[in-house]
Amino acid sequence: MGVGKQSSPPPPPPRWAVELNNPPPSRPKNTSNIPDPPGFSAQRAIGGKQKTSQLPARKPPTQEETDILKLKKSWEIALAPGKQLPMQLIMSYMSGNSLQIFSLMMVAMLFKGPLQAIAATNSTFTKLETEGNKGKMILVKATFVGMQFMLLALGVWKIGQMGLLPTTQSDWVAFEGERICLEKAYFAT
Amino acid sequence: MRLNALLTLFLSYVSSVHAILADEAYHVDYHHALLGIPQAETTFFHQPSSSSNASLLYTISEKAIIGAVNPKDGSVVWRQSLADSLPEPPTVVEDVVKLPNEEQQRALRGIGPAKAGLLAEEGSGFVVSYYGSAVSAWDAMNGKLAWQRFMPQGQHVKSAQLIPSGRDVSSSSAVDVVVLYGTEGGTVTRLDGSSGAVVWEYEDRSGASPRYLASTKKSIYYVSEQSAVLAANSMKIVSLNTENGREDKSHVLKTDEVVTVSSCPNVAFISWHERSSRSMKVNVLGSNKVNTLNLERSNEEEIEAVSVLPGCGDSSPSHILVHVQTRNGVWAEVFDIDSDSAEVRKAYSLLYLKGKGAFAVSIVDEKPHFTRITDFEIELYSFAPGIMVARWPRNQPSFGGPGHAQAEVVLRGQSNYAIRISEVAKGGEWTLMRNGELVWSRPEMLANVVAAAWVEDVSGEALAHELDFEGHENPLRAYTHRLKRHLRDLEYLPAWLQQLPSSATSGLLTSKAETEKGLLGHKLLVVATSTGQHVALDPAKAGAIKWKRLAQEASDEARAVSLYVHDGVVTSYVNKWGIMTINATDGRDISFDQSDAHFTGVIIAPGPVAPVAYRISRDGQPKPTAIDDVAKDGTYLVTRSASGQDVQGWMVGRSNIKLWTFSSAAGSRITNVVARPAHDPVSSIGKVLGDRSVLYKYLSPNLVLITSAKRGSFTIYLLDSITGTILYSATHEDADTSSPIPSVLSENWFTYSFFGTSDAKSPSKCHQLVIVELYESPIPNDRGPLGSSSANYSSFYPGSITKPHTITQSFVITQSISHMSVTQTAQGITSRQLLCTLPDLNAIIAIPRYLLDPRRPVDRDPTREEAEEGLFRYSPVLDLDPKFFLSHSREVVGIQKIISAPTLLESTSLVFGFGGLDVFGTRVTPSKAFDVLGKGFNKLALIGTVAALGLGTAVLAPMVRRKAVERGWKL
């Protein structure tokens, strides 16, 4: 690359660009025993594309393998709400039973989350569902829904703790009628 | 219903602190501080101090209350009860409880055998009263007791006079008091005016009954009636020396039925006549001469009443005015007395006038002047020429005709008279007129109120009926009915739109008080007195009198027993007279049905068409007021015999059947019978416990609580009034049953109070308040043997009457309670208060119900769940917190009964107390005024804020729009 001879205006490309596009000069023989600095690879520096294309292509996984993998993954998703359960339990316990904005918000979330999740059960698993694992996926989905129901149960338990469930006699006393005596006595005014 | 229960729960917590706020006192309550109807002989103008010309009106009323009233505005300067200071009368019969019945109370406290008198001497600084066995001197300015002297052995004072003491005025009183007392053989005692110490005593051992005492400057005259065996109607007159009380001389006169003795400084005289006689005899005391005075007139009307008024001049000759009342007219004869020759000569007579009238004698410049007061005018006669010197028309007639009057006349210049007249009308109203114009009037007849009833505003009834209809129909029909109603209402729309601007502005400007009046309902209070007056008070206008009505023909014995208000008509049941119906809004008579029946009570029961009144005879038998007008078959009544021996249960209808009789045990009598108030709504049928379980209340509309007392102990019985089954009873040994045992029953609880005397078990004497709550079952969530069905049941089914589970607690209170009542609200959601009269403090208090919870834990702190229920640790002494006092700083004397009524506001209950002397009304909010905006709410500020925000928006909106457009163009 002659530098000074060219009269035309285009400026020469910067050095770093030149170096990037060209492989590093081969090292002299006497220096071949000096290891490259860590992280530097003479081959990679030339460009990954050329290198990987040179590697032998990985054998694509079989259909069964993907199905197993997908099933594993979906089991993971299905059991994830169960892992939340202890944490939610502790949170419910810690937030107290008084009617306050935080405990109320928490209870609302306890109900909203599982209900939304149950509604979106199918869409959660569409990517992982294949023709082959369809039968097994039913069990997975059922587990997922069951887990959500456990969370819901926690919510119900929580509002029960807060006294919002009409489970005691006092909640129904207003609907009980007074016994009416057929006779009525009148007294002097 | 569910909302109700929630509210109840909420309100029971709210109610923990309540008091009358300083800015409410004197605004929400009203009070007529009364004296009772003033008596003719004991009412006069008097200058309390010699340094000032201002005089006060002094009186002793028929209720034995002594008081001074400011003649300028009619306010009470001071008042004292003469009966209160008397030693307790001995209990009449052993082993029988002293009857607290009204006749006896009247006999003990009121007119009765005890005679009251009031004496005053100018410049002495005190007034002297006698009543019963006591002679008392009161400071004329402030009513403080200067001294009091009781006659030996409780003998009643018959008469008293003031005489000049003749001592040095600077060191002691200028006047002494001469008192006559005793029954067989009187004793005349001269008491030192400054201390009440005895100066001398004169005893009459002849056994004649002492009658009168008269005095002049020179001597004292003692008049006694000889025993009837010796000589009927003969009076012995003994003149006594004022210095030492020795007998000077005596003479005997033969007199007639009606005897009057009058004293003047220079002459005393006795006059007598036969009823409806046309002549009168007068004797100047100290001489034997008897003068016969002629009361003839040309027209031959029968004389109804003759009364004698002395006209005393200090130095001038004295005069007698004889006031003659005939059926249709009134006139007077004036006589003058020559004290030297003891002769009485006719001076002239005052013209006959039609109608009723009263006369008053007043002294102007040492000369007596006579005033005649009729319904139309006031005439003043001067003695010297004997002609009318002044005359004033009256702007309104007196209530029931002039009764008696006192006049204060002032002469300015030669003939410019000014007159102040205090007049007590026959209807019991005490008025003061200045030159014929009414200055003030005091409704003293309200001291005799025996029955009271609330009058609802009738105008809302039609709507209430329609709403009731809609509530009980099926939804579709109710809806169409409602639609039709609203369409009908459209015809009022134009009128409503027209007055909308004015109502909007007035709504902005009206005070909170006026708005509240609208919310409380336009209720009137109608009261009936024992003397036949019916008066309507307006609770919203500080108890002002709306109308008053006098039952003219009613005899003296007639006593209103009961008032019943229905559809704007007041029906008054008057014993020994009849039934009177009055229009509640203007007080006009509608009808009266005179029947001389004797009855002790009235029960209003539903009839086939209209409510039917049953009159209860003395033995407890119910009788319908009209024979064919009977209640529906199978109507149950509970009656009480007047003797206090039994309570009876009746089934009435076409035939009356006595179902049961509850007789008191031997030696005891029934002192009190109470039932649940007619309007006693229950918002929740159970009580919610801390663990959210329910204790079911024992609710029966047919409960009746009977107090049966004998000497030293009493028993409380709770009965089912249909079958007469005793559901609960409790006996208290060692109780003072001569003091009242008030009780009240409401909802599922009752309470009573008594004075416990000391015994082995409880060594202290104290007033106790006992609260009993009734539940279906001791086990929570259990509705008792009848089960949880809410079906109807009959008391006659076997096993349907179950005994309640009772929880009881008693408290020691520091005051005696004479009457109890309970606040009432429209829905019963607001927590209740126990209203009590404290006779010793002259106060009315309201004890919050939550303090009287018998489930309060004893000797331990409440658990968390109990605390949640609002229970706190039981303490045996219930402090009567000053915040409980509804009467705050007012002195409310002699309240015997308290009634309560709901208002349109659920939070508020109207309260009215009456009976003995005063009437007092207020309104209470037991759970605070939760449905009214407080005084802190500023309507103007709210409207102002909204208006300012609106204005701001209006100004800013175009600016913002412009900015948005500009921003759009820039891009």
Side-chain angles (χ1 to χ4, degrees), chain B residues 252-294:
Chain B
V252 177
L253 290 170
K254 191 128 177 64
T255 59
D256 277 323
E257 230 179 330
V258 187
V259 180
T260 316
V261 174
S262 309
S263 305
C264 281
N266 49 15
V267 68
F269 57 90
I270 179 168
S271 59
W272 64 94
H273 64 276
E274 258 180 74
R275 255 180 233 287
S276 71
S277 150
R278 294 184 170 272
S279 69
M280 173 180 258
K281 294 199 171 64
V282 177
N283 166 248
V284 175
L285 293 179
S287 82
N288 290 324
K289 191 173 166 80
V290 175
N291 302 279
T292 304
L293 312 179
N294 216 345

Short mmCIF file of all heavy atoms in Angstrom, two decimals, chain B residues 252-294:
data_model
loop_
_atom_site.label_atom_id
_atom_site.label_comp_id
_atom_site.label_asym_id
_atom_site.label_seq_id
_atom_site.Cartn_x
_atom_site.Cartn_y
_atom_site.Cartn_z
N VAL B 252 -116.37 36.62 122.82
CA VAL B 252 -116.81 35.51 121.97
C VAL B 252 -117.81 36.05 120.95
O VAL B 252 -118.66 36.87 121.27
CB VAL B 252 -117.45 34.40 122.82
CG1 VAL B 252 -117.97 33.28 121.92
CG2 VAL B 252 -116.43 33.84 123.79
N LEU B 253 -117.62 35.59 119.69
CA LEU B 253 -118.52 36.02 118.62
C LEU B 253 -119.17 34.79 118.02
O LEU B 253 -118.55 33.73 117.92
CB LEU B 253 -117.74 36.72 117.51
CG LEU B 253 -117.16 38.09 117.78
CD1 LEU B 253 -116.22 38.45 116.64
CD2 LEU B 253 -118.25 39.13 117.93
N LYS B 254 -120.40 34.94 117.59
CA LYS B 254 -121.05 33.85 116.87
C LYS B 254 -120.89 34.13 115.39
O LYS B 254 -121.33 35.15 114.88
CB LYS B 254 -122.53 33.80 117.26
CG LYS B 254 -123.22 32.58 116.77
CD LYS B 254 -123.97 31.89 117.92
CE LYS B 254 -124.74 30.67 117.42
NZ LYS B 254 -123.87 29.63 116.90
N THR B 255 -120.21 33.25 114.68
CA THR B 255 -119.88 33.53 113.28
C THR B 255 -120.56 32.53 112.37
O THR B 255 -121.31 31.68 112.81
CB THR B 255 -118.36 33.45 113.06
OG1 THR B 255 -117.95 32.14 113.43
CG2 THR B 255 -117.64 34.49 113.85
N ASP B 256 -120.27 32.66 111.08
CA ASP B 256 -120.88 31.81 110.07
C ASP B 256 -119.81 30.96 109.37
O ASP B 256 -118.67 30.90 109.79
CB ASP B 256 -121.62 32.67 109.04
CG ASP B 256 -123.00 33.01 109.55
OD1 ASP B 256 -123.60 32.15 110.18
OD2 ASP B 256 -123.44 34.16 109.32
N GLU B 257 -120.25 30.44 108.25
CA GLU B 257 -119.43 29.48 107.51
C GLU B 257 -118.05 30.02 107.11
O GLU B 257 -117.02 29.43 107.40
CB GLU B 257 -120.20 29.11 106.25
CG GLU B 257 -120.31 27.66 106.01
CD GLU B 257 -121.10 27.42 104.73
OE1 GLU B 257 -121.99 28.23 104.38
OE2 GLU B 257 -120.79 26.43 104.10
N VAL B 258 -118.08 31.14 106.40
CA VAL B 258 -116.84 31.65 105.80
C VAL B 258 -116.32 32.79 106.67
O VAL B 258 -116.99 33.80 106.85
CB VAL B 258 -117.11 32.16 104.37
CG1 VAL B 258 -115.81 32.53 103.71
CG2 VAL B 258 -117.86 31.11 103.58
N VAL B 259 -115.14 32.62 107.22
CA VAL B 259 -114.57 33.61 108.13
C VAL B 259 -113.27 34.12 107.55
O VAL B 259 -112.46 33.35 107.03
CB VAL B 259 -114.33 32.98 109.52
CG1 VAL B 259 -113.74 34.01 110.47
CG2 VAL B 259 -115.61 32.41 110.09
N THR B 260 -113.09 35.43 107.57
CA THR B 260 -111.83 36.02 107.12
C THR B 260 -111.32 36.93 108.23
O THR B 260 -112.10 37.66 108.84
CB THR B 260 -112.05 36.88 105.86
OG1 THR B 260 -112.89 36.17 104.97
CG2 THR B 260 -110.75 37.19 105.19
N VAL B 261 -110.04 36.88 108.51
CA VAL B 261 -109.44 37.77 109.49
C VAL B 261 -108.37 38.58 108.78
O VAL B 261 -107.56 38.03 108.05
CB VAL B 261 -108.83 36.97 110.66
CG1 VAL B 261 -108.09 37.90 111.60
CG2 VAL B 261 -109.91 36.21 111.40
N SER B 262 -108.40 39.88 108.92
CA SER B 262 -107.44 40.74 108.24
C SER B 262 -106.79 41.66 109.25
O SER B 262 -107.40 42.07 110.23
CB SER B 262 -108.13 41.58 107.17
OG SER B 262 -108.92 40.76 106.34
N SER B 263 -105.55 42.01 108.98
CA SER B 263 -104.80 42.90 109.88
C SER B 263 -104.30 44.10 109.13
O SER B 263 -103.88 44.01 107.98
CB SER B 263 -103.58 42.16 110.44
OG SER B 263 -103.96 40.99 111.05
N CYS B 264 -104.38 45.24 109.80
CA CYS B 264 -103.79 46.46 109.30
C CYS B 264 -102.95 47.02 110.43
O CYS B 264 -103.11 46.61 111.59
CB CYS B 264 -104.88 47.47 108.93
SG CYS B 264 -105.62 47.13 107.34
N PRO B 265 -102.08 47.97 110.13
CA PRO B 265 -101.25 48.50 111.22
C PRO B 265 -102.08 49.10 112.36
O PRO B 265 -101.69 49.01 113.52
CB PRO B 265 -100.41 49.56 110.53
CG PRO B 265 -100.35 49.14 109.12
CD PRO B 265 -101.66 48.46 108.84
N ASN B 266 -103.21 49.69 112.02
CA ASN B 266 -103.96 50.33 113.10
C ASN B 266 -105.27 49.65 113.44
O ASN B 266 -105.91 50.04 114.40
CB ASN B 266 -104.21 51.82 112.76
CG ASN B 266 -104.76 51.96 111.35
OD1 ASN B 266 -105.19 50.97 110.75
ND2 ASN B 266 -104.74 53.17 110.82
N VAL B 267 -105.64 48.66 112.67
CA VAL B 267 -106.89 47.99 113.01
C VAL B 267 -106.86 46.55 112.47
O VAL B 267 -106.22 46.27 111.45
CB VAL B 267 -108.12 48.75 112.46
CG1 VAL B 267 -108.16 48.70 110.94
CG2 VAL B 267 -109.41 48.21 113.04
N ALA B 268 -107.48 45.66 113.20
CA ALA B 268 -107.64 44.29 112.73
C ALA B 268 -109.11 43.96 112.82
O ALA B 268 -109.79 44.40 113.75
CB ALA B 268 -106.82 43.32 113.57
N PHE B 269 -109.62 43.19 111.86
CA PHE B 269 -111.04 42.89 111.91
C PHE B 269 -111.31 41.48 111.43
O PHE B 269 -110.51 40.87 110.73
CB PHE B 269 -111.84 43.91 111.07
CG PHE B 269 -111.41 43.99 109.64
CD1 PHE B 269 -111.98 43.19 108.68
CD2 PHE B 269 -110.42 44.89 109.26
CE1 PHE B 269 -111.59 43.27 107.36
CE2 PHE B 269 -110.03 44.97 107.94
CZ PHE B 269 -110.60 44.17 106.99
N ILE B 270 -112.45 40.99 111.86
CA ILE B 270 -112.89 39.66 111.44
C ILE B 270 -114.21 39.84 110.72
O ILE B 270 -115.06 40.63 111.14
CB ILE B 270 -112.99 38.72 112.67
CG1 ILE B 270 -113.48 37.32 112.24
CG2 ILE B 270 -113.89 39.29 113.75
CD1 ILE B 270 -113.33 36.28 113.34
N SER B 271 -114.36 39.13 109.60
CA SER B 271 -115.62 39.24 108.87
C SER B 271 -116.12 37.83 108.57
O SER B 271 -115.33 36.91 108.45
CB SER B 271 -115.41 40.01 107.56
OG SER B 271 -114.47 39.33 106.77
N TRP B 272 -117.41 37.69 108.49
CA TRP B 272 -117.97 36.37 108.21
C TRP B 272 -119.29 36.51 107.49
O TRP B 272 -119.96 37.53 107.57
CB TRP B 272 -118.12 35.54 109.49
CG TRP B 272 -119.07 36.10 110.50
CD1 TRP B 272 -120.38 35.79 110.62
CD2 TRP B 272 -118.79 37.03 111.53
NE1 TRP B 272 -120.95 36.46 111.66
CE2 TRP B 272 -119.98 37.24 112.24
CE3 TRP B 272 -117.63 37.73 111.93
CZ2 TRP B 272 -120.07 38.11 113.33
CZ3 TRP B 272 -117.71 38.59 113.02
CH2 TRP B 272 -118.93 38.78 113.69
N HIS B 273 -119.59 35.51 106.71
CA HIS B 273 -120.85 35.49 106.00
C HIS B 273 -121.18 34.06 105.68
O HIS B 273 -120.33 33.17 105.76
CB HIS B 273 -120.76 36.32 104.72
CG HIS B 273 -119.79 35.78 103.71
ND1 HIS B 273 -118.45 36.04 103.76
CD2 HIS B 273 -119.99 34.97 102.66
CE1 HIS B 273 -117.85 35.42 102.77
NE2 HIS B 273 -118.77 34.75 102.09
N GLU B 274 -122.44 33.87 105.32
CA GLU B 274 -122.83 32.54 104.85
C GLU B 274 -122.60 32.48 103.36
O GLU B 274 -122.67 33.51 102.68
CB GLU B 274 -124.31 32.28 105.16
CG GLU B 274 -124.52 31.41 106.36
CD GLU B 274 -125.99 31.19 106.62
OE1 GLU B 274 -126.59 30.43 105.85
OE2 GLU B 274 -126.52 31.81 107.56
N ARG B 275 -122.36 31.31 102.88
CA ARG B 275 -122.19 31.16 101.43
C ARG B 275 -123.44 31.67 100.71
O ARG B 275 -124.55 31.40 101.15
CB ARG B 275 -121.99 29.67 101.10
CG ARG B 275 -120.54 29.35 100.77
CD ARG B 275 -120.35 27.90 100.45
NE ARG B 275 -119.29 27.33 101.28
CZ ARG B 275 -118.01 27.59 101.10
NH1 ARG B 275 -117.61 28.41 100.15
NH2 ARG B 275 -117.11 27.04 101.89
N SER B 276 -123.23 32.39 99.66
CA SER B 276 -124.30 32.98 98.83
C SER B 276 -125.26 33.85 99.64
O SER B 276 -126.41 34.01 99.30
CB SER B 276 -125.06 31.90 98.06
OG SER B 276 -125.85 31.14 98.94
N SER B 277 -124.77 34.38 100.73
CA SER B 277 -125.61 35.30 101.50
C SER B 277 -125.46 36.71 100.93
O SER B 277 -124.48 37.04 100.28
CB SER B 277 -125.19 35.25 102.96
OG SER B 277 -125.44 36.49 103.56
N ARG B 278 -126.44 37.54 101.18
CA ARG B 278 -126.40 38.89 100.64
C ARG B 278 -125.99 39.91 101.68
O ARG B 278 -126.14 41.10 101.48
CB ARG B 278 -127.76 39.25 100.05
CG ARG B 278 -128.02 38.37 98.87
CD ARG B 278 -129.26 38.68 98.15
NE ARG B 278 -129.27 37.92 96.92
CZ ARG B 278 -128.74 38.36 95.79
NH1 ARG B 278 -128.18 39.55 95.74
NH2 ARG B 278 -128.75 37.61 94.72
N SER B 279 -125.50 39.40 102.78
CA SER B 279 -124.97 40.34 103.77
C SER B 279 -123.74 39.75 104.42
O SER B 279 -123.48 38.55 104.31
CB SER B 279 -126.03 40.64 104.83
OG SER B 279 -126.23 39.48 105.61
N MET B 280 -123.02 40.63 105.08
CA MET B 280 -121.76 40.20 105.67
C MET B 280 -121.63 40.91 107.00
O MET B 280 -122.08 42.05 107.16
CB MET B 280 -120.64 40.59 104.72
CG MET B 280 -119.27 40.37 105.27
SD MET B 280 -118.05 40.86 104.07
CE MET B 280 -117.59 39.29 103.45
N LYS B 281 -121.02 40.23 107.98
CA LYS B 281 -120.86 40.86 109.29
C LYS B 281 -119.39 41.08 109.55
O LYS B 281 -118.54 40.27 109.19
CB LYS B 281 -121.47 39.96 110.36
CG LYS B 281 -122.99 39.84 110.21
CD LYS B 281 -123.59 39.35 111.51
CE LYS B 281 -125.10 39.42 111.46
NZ LYS B 281 -125.69 38.51 110.43
N VAL B 282 -119.09 42.23 110.17
CA VAL B 282 -117.70 42.59 110.44
C VAL B 282 -117.59 43.02 111.89
O VAL B 282 -118.45 43.73 112.42
CB VAL B 282 -117.24 43.75 109.52
CG1 VAL B 282 -115.82 44.17 109.86
CG2 VAL B 282 -117.32 43.34 108.06
N ASN B 283 -116.55 42.56 112.53
CA ASN B 283 -116.25 42.99 113.89
C ASN B 283 -114.83 43.48 113.93
O ASN B 283 -113.91 42.82 113.43
CB ASN B 283 -116.44 41.80 114.85
CG ASN B 283 -115.82 42.08 116.22
OD1 ASN B 283 -114.85 41.44 116.58
ND2 ASN B 283 -116.38 43.03 116.95
N VAL B 284 -114.64 44.68 114.45
CA VAL B 284 -113.29 45.20 114.66
C VAL B 284 -112.77 44.53 115.92
O VAL B 284 -113.39 44.60 116.98
CB VAL B 284 -113.29 46.72 114.80
CG1 VAL B 284 -111.91 47.22 115.15
CG2 VAL B 284 -113.77 47.35 113.50
N LEU B 285 -111.65 43.83 115.77
CA LEU B 285 -111.14 43.04 116.89
C LEU B 285 -110.80 43.96 118.05
O LEU B 285 -110.23 45.03 117.88
CB LEU B 285 -109.91 42.25 116.46
CG LEU B 285 -110.18 41.14 115.42
CD1 LEU B 285 -108.88 40.45 115.04
CD2 LEU B 285 -111.18 40.15 115.93
N GLY B 286 -111.19 43.55 119.21
CA GLY B 286 -110.97 44.37 120.39
C GLY B 286 -112.24 45.02 120.87
O GLY B 286 -112.30 45.56 121.97
N SER B 287 -113.29 45.02 120.06
CA SER B 287 -114.57 45.58 120.49
C SER B 287 -115.64 44.52 120.33
O SER B 287 -115.43 43.51 119.66
CB SER B 287 -114.92 46.80 119.63
OG SER B 287 -115.50 46.36 118.43
N ASN B 288 -116.76 44.77 120.95
CA ASN B 288 -117.83 43.78 120.88
C ASN B 288 -118.82 44.06 119.76
O ASN B 288 -119.70 43.26 119.50
CB ASN B 288 -118.61 43.75 122.20
CG ASN B 288 -117.74 43.15 123.29
OD1 ASN B 288 -116.98 42.23 123.04
ND2 ASN B 288 -117.84 43.70 124.49
N LYS B 289 -118.65 45.20 119.14
CA LYS B 289 -119.65 45.64 118.19
C LYS B 289 -119.59 44.85 116.88
O LYS B 289 -118.52 44.61 116.32
CB LYS B 289 -119.41 47.12 117.88
CG LYS B 289 -120.52 47.76 117.11
CD LYS B 289 -120.23 49.26 117.02
CE LYS B 289 -121.11 49.92 115.98
NZ LYS B 289 -122.43 50.20 116.42
N VAL B 290 -120.74 44.39 116.41
CA VAL B 290 -120.83 43.64 115.15
C VAL B 290 -121.58 44.50 114.14
O VAL B 290 -122.70 44.93 114.40
CB VAL B 290 -121.55 42.30 115.35
CG1 VAL B 290 -121.74 41.61 114.00
CG2 VAL B 290 -120.76 41.41 116.28
N ASN B 291 -120.93 44.80 113.01
CA ASN B 291 -121.55 45.61 111.97
C ASN B 291 -122.08 44.70 110.87
O ASN B 291 -121.40 43.76 110.45
CB ASN B 291 -120.52 46.55 111.34
CG ASN B 291 -119.89 47.44 112.36
OD1 ASN B 291 -120.45 48.44 112.76
ND2 ASN B 291 -118.71 47.04 112.84
N THR B 292 -123.24 44.99 110.38
CA THR B 292 -123.81 44.22 109.28
C THR B 292 -123.68 45.02 108.00
O THR B 292 -124.09 46.18 107.94
CB THR B 292 -125.27 43.90 109.55
OG1 THR B 292 -125.34 43.23 110.79
CG2 THR B 292 -125.84 42.99 108.46
N LEU B 293 -123.06 44.41 106.99
CA LEU B 293 -122.86 45.08 105.71
C LEU B 293 -123.79 44.47 104.68
O LEU B 293 -123.91 43.25 104.61
CB LEU B 293 -121.41 44.93 105.25
CG LEU B 293 -120.32 45.22 106.27
CD1 LEU B 293 -118.97 45.00 105.64
CD2 LEU B 293 -120.43 46.65 106.79
N ASN B 294 -124.36 45.32 103.91
CA ASN B 294 -125.32 44.88 102.91
C ASN B 294 -124.66 44.72 101.55
O ASN B 294 -123.95 45.61 101.10
CB ASN B 294 -126.43 45.93 102.82
CG ASN B 294 -127.74 45.26 102.58
OD1 ASN B 294 -127.78 44.08 102.22
ND2 ASN B 294 -128.81 45.99 102.79
#
